[in-house]
Amino acid sequence: EAGASVLLLRVCLALLAWPVYLLNLLGLWEPFCRKVFFPYILDKIGATHEKKSKKHKQELFRTLPDFRGPSGQLRLLEIGTGSGTNFQFYPEGCRVTCTDVNPHFQQSLSKSMKKNQHLHYEQFLVAAAEDLHQVPSGSVDAVVCTLVLCSVQSISGTLREVLRVLRPGGAFYFLEHVAAERSSWMYFWQQVCFPTWKLVFAGCCLTRELWKNLEEAKFSELKIQHISIAMPWMPIEPHIVGYGVK
């Protein structure tokens, strides 16, 4: 029975990761994870993911200039900017507002900003994706979100905020890892890894079927492509990429 095997393997994985569970029990894991572990590991995994996803991102962000506002400027808001790996793909002169719930990416973010001086950086907000109250309604032409929807508290809340801050005719760009086909081995392993993965990787959920949330959100036009980005030894191969227009 698949359910029993999943449970048994989950226990084995939890035993292997027992120090993390212990630190979590003592209330020490979360602050350490946010400040030290997650920014560090994201830098390492991020570099591999970046190489593998580069052509998909180039293809995705090629259409960004089409969404310039009436003034001819492109005002872009990035949710979960992290270390700023997307900056290289944004068009010349683009005005960028960065947001992240975790303020501890400062070092790698500054590096990315120095490298990408073709952009204007407006401000950096420490904010959860579901609560962007510092950003006025209808004030941006594009919102970008890559590998963030896996760990937000509320997907529908996040998408509501995205639609609120976008001007009519603006676009929401996404590239996210998602749940595998339910009958696949990959989905089996995603279920096995789920609890330990979520704890170790700061709330990242492996089995979200994000395309369904995007289809339910009120976009006037939605382009979604299912792609595969092979990450060695990691259950995050299936991805979706695309954009929705308000």
Side-chain angles (χ1 to χ4, degrees):
E1 167 64 9
S5 333
V6 165
L7 283 177
L8 179 65
L9 287 165
R10 275 184 177 180
V11 170
C12 296
L13 197 55
L15 288 172
L16 285 174
W18 70 266
V20 176
Y21 280 89
L22 179 63
L23 287 172
N24 191 51
L25 207 64
L26 299 171
L28 302 172
W29 174 250
E30 208 265 343
F32 170 75
C33 181
R34 275 169 65 91
K35 274 197 177 125
V36 182
F37 178 77
F38 194 57
Y40 170 79
I41 204 80
L42 209 64
D43 231 26
K44 297 287 165 253
I45 296 172
T48 309
H49 192 277
E50 208 40 57
K51 278 194 198 92
K52 307 243 178 191
S53 63
K54 188 163 188 172
K55 62 175 197 300
H56 296 294
K57 285 190 177 181
Q58 282 168 332
E59 183 63 27
L60 173 67
F61 293 130
R62 235 189 27 208
T63 55
L64 267 174
D66 301 349
F67 293 98
R68 284 198 179 107
S71 65
Q73 284 191 332
L74 181 72
R75 295 158 308 167
L76 185 147
L77 171 80
E78 182 163 359
I79 296 175
T81 308
S83 55
T85 50
N86 292 327
F87 293 164
Q88 55 182 309
F89 303 107
Y90 298 160
E92 182 81 39
C94 173
R95 311 192 78 83
V96 183
T97 297
C98 307
T99 73
D100 205 301
V101 72
N102 186 347
H104 302 292
F105 286 104
Q106 223 37 61
Q107 216 177 342
S108 43
L109 186 65
S110 305
K111 242 196 281 185
S112 290
M113 288 165 91
K114 277 199 189 79
K115 251 197 237 157
N116 294 281
Q117 298 195 352
H118 65 291
L119 306 175
H120 297 289
Y121 300 100
E122 304 269 90
Q123 53 180 342
F124 182 89
L125 307 171
V126 176
E130 303 86 342
D131 178 16
L132 301 169
H133 69 268
Q134 297 136 289
V135 183
S137 300
S139 66
V140 296
D141 305 304
V143 175
V144 171
C145 178
T146 60
L147 306 183
V148 172
L149 293 177
C150 56
S151 54
V152 298
Q153 299 286 322
S154 158
I155 305 164
S156 55
T158 300
L159 294 176
R160 264 200 305 278
E161 277 292 76
V162 164
L163 284 162
R164 179 185 69 76
V165 302
L166 276 175
R167 65 165 173 81
F172 171 57
Y173 283 77
F174 54 86
L175 183 144
E176 299 283 344
H177 69 82
V178 291
E181 183 67 47
R182 288 194 176 206
S183 58
S184 66
W185 269 112
M186 177 65 78
Y187 187 70
F188 174 80
W189 285 112
Q190 283 180 334
Q191 287 192 295
V192 168
C193 298
F194 188 91
T196 298
W197 183 279
K198 189 174 179 183
L199 177 61
V200 172
F201 293 106
C204 171
C205 297
L206 289 170
T207 53
R208 289 186 171 175
E209 297 174 326
L210 295 169
W211 61 92
K212 293 182 178 171
N213 303 92
L214 286 158
E215 281 157 9
E216 283 160 18
K218 306 270 196 297
F219 290 105
S220 64
E221 181 193 334
L222 184 62
K223 289 189 178 5
I224 298 184
Q225 200 188 346
H226 287 257
I227 59 169
S228 174
I229 296 176
M231 293 291 290
W233 301 102
M234 299 190 117
I236 55 170
E237 193 168 309
H239 284 64
I240 54 169
V241 61
Y243 65 89
V245 180
K246 176 171 171 176

